[in-house]
Amino acid sequence: MPLIIKDEYPEKLFREDGKRLDGREKNELRPIKMEVGVLKNADGSAYLEWGNNKIFAAVYGPRDVHPHHLAKPDRGILRVFYRMATYSVFERKRPAPGRREKEISMVISDCLEPVLFLELYPGTSFEVFIEVIDADGGTRCASTTVAALALADAGVPMRSLVTSVACGKIDGELVVDLSGIEDKAGEADLPCAMTWFNDQLSLLQFDGEMTLDEMNTSMDLASEALKKIYEMQLNALKEKYLAVREEVNQSQEIENIGGDE
Ligand code: CDP
């Protein structure tokens, strides 16, 4: 039997008080939480909550390439697998990776590759597995951001981190970090990613309509938001090493007490 519930969008994407439907200002990000080293079996991992998005990233490598014919004799390869869980969206998603997931995997790989030294790892691969377990708009940006953290957590040499966010236009106004409903009901969506070692964009996609001036203003909004998210990434990495230092200090204290007895 076909699903009877229709996708319905609100008529207005701003409230009477000028704020967005979720109470945000135009230049305000959704709440973001990040943590690294969350999976025991991966070489590196990270978890991100960004608004209602919940995403894990796991990194393996450098390791042998399977299937072997994909290996390159003069450099390593980066393989990204972006997947959305069947239960991550309102209407059950088919488990097999569709065209959208393949495209997003490729986009994320293109965003991350410039920061890696793949030329130092001939014949091997780095694999990044991204699992979106709850999705609510902007998952390609959130996935790029959490994947960069997982690579850093794996100790993969990197020129810098990569950070990503989307800007867009809703009800004629430019806003940062579109939620799922804003993404679907808005006029334009502009995801971008920044590689910090050279301050260059490694992603710029565009869907919708905007004037050139609006595009420039959106890039200013994005730039401000990217800096905030980058700080959060650095803090998430530092948190892990502070926790490790705490653990080492504690075990040294225990050893010292043992030695005194
Ligand atoms: O997630 P992102 O904005 O990068 O990509 P999108 O293709 O523009 O998808 C926007 C949003 O639509 C996703 O974040 C999901 O919340 C939702 N979506 C969905 O409900 N069902 C799908 N099969 C795919 C996406």
Side-chain angles (χ1 to χ4, degrees):
M1 211 174 100
L3 196 64
I4 297 172
I5 305 164
K6 280 194 295 197
D7 249 356
E8 276 177 9
Y9 305 132
E11 263 172 41
K12 290 187 177 162
L13 294 169
F14 284 96
R15 307 190 312 205
E16 293 286 305
D17 61 3
K19 292 193 175 169
R20 292 152 75 175
L21 294 183
D22 54 13
R24 282 187 290 155
E25 302 289 348
K26 287 178 218 158
N27 66 347
E28 195 176 337
L29 290 162
R30 290 173 282 180
I32 300 179
K33 270 199 319 199
M34 307 176 186
E35 197 181 339
V36 298
V38 290
L39 303 172
K40 186 168 68 66
N41 292 323
D43 293 330
S45 60
Y47 173 67
L48 173 72
E49 283 183 15
W50 182 326
N52 297 322
N53 292 312
K54 295 192 179 72
I55 307 176
F56 280 99
V59 167
Y60 294 84
R63 67 179 182 182
D64 285 347
V65 184
H66 295 290
H68 197 62
H69 68 86
L70 294 178
K72 294 197 174 155
D74 57 338
R75 64 202 308 270
I77 58 167
L78 172 67
R79 305 179 74 197
V80 175
F81 303 89
Y82 162 99
R83 300 285 181 266
M84 274 197 347
T86 49
Y87 51 81
S88 65
V89 283
F90 177 69
E91 203 168 316
R92 178 184 178 273
K93 198 209 130 281
R94 283 162 174 262
R99 255 192 12 205
R100 176 179 169 277
E101 282 161 305
K102 287 181 189 154
E103 183 227 314
I104 295 184
S105 301
M106 189 192 75
V107 163
I108 297 173
S109 172
D110 289 349
C111 283
L112 297 172
E113 206 172 308
V115 301
L116 300 179
F117 295 86
L118 292 177
E119 63 280 9
L120 301 181
Y121 301 90
T124 69
S125 70
F126 291 96
E127 291 182 320
V128 183
F129 297 92
I130 298 165
E131 303 289 335
V132 179
I133 54 175
D134 223 341
D136 187 24
T139 60
R140 78 194 60 209
C141 298
S143 298
T144 304
T145 304
V146 71
L149 269 185
L151 280 163
D153 181 51
V156 176
M158 294 164 82
R159 293 182 173 90
S160 74
L161 284 170
V162 184
T163 310
S164 180
V165 76
C167 281
K169 189 169 157 187
I170 58 170
D171 288 359
E173 303 279 347
L174 300 176
V175 296
V176 76
D177 185 21
L178 284 85
S179 65
I181 203 93
E182 291 174 339
D183 182 307
K184 292 195 182 98
E187 292 107 275
D189 178 24
L190 182 68
C192 61
M194 174 75 93
T195 53
W196 296 102
F197 74 97
N198 56 1
D199 286 346
Q200 298 265 326
L201 294 177
S202 61
L203 168 74
L204 188 59
Q205 290 189 298
F206 185 69
D207 180 17
E209 284 180 23
M210 240 185 218
T211 65
L212 200 53
D213 278 348
E214 285 174 334
M215 180 87 136
N216 286 331
T217 313
S218 299
M219 292 317 297
D220 291 341
L221 271 177
S223 162
E224 193 192 314
L226 285 166
K227 284 183 198 140
K228 290 184 197 157
I229 303 163
Y230 179 49
E231 279 303 313
M232 295 182 214
Q233 285 173 296
L234 293 177
N235 285 336
L237 284 168
K238 282 183 202 152
E239 284 290 320
K240 176 174 170 184
Y241 292 101
L242 287 176
V244 171
R245 190 163 71 181
E246 184 76 6
E247 231 172 83
V248 171
N249 285 347
Q250 275 178 4
S251 58
Q252 273 173 351
E253 270 172 34
I254 292 168
E255 266 175 38
N256 290 343
I257 293 168
D260 291 346
E261 280 170 2

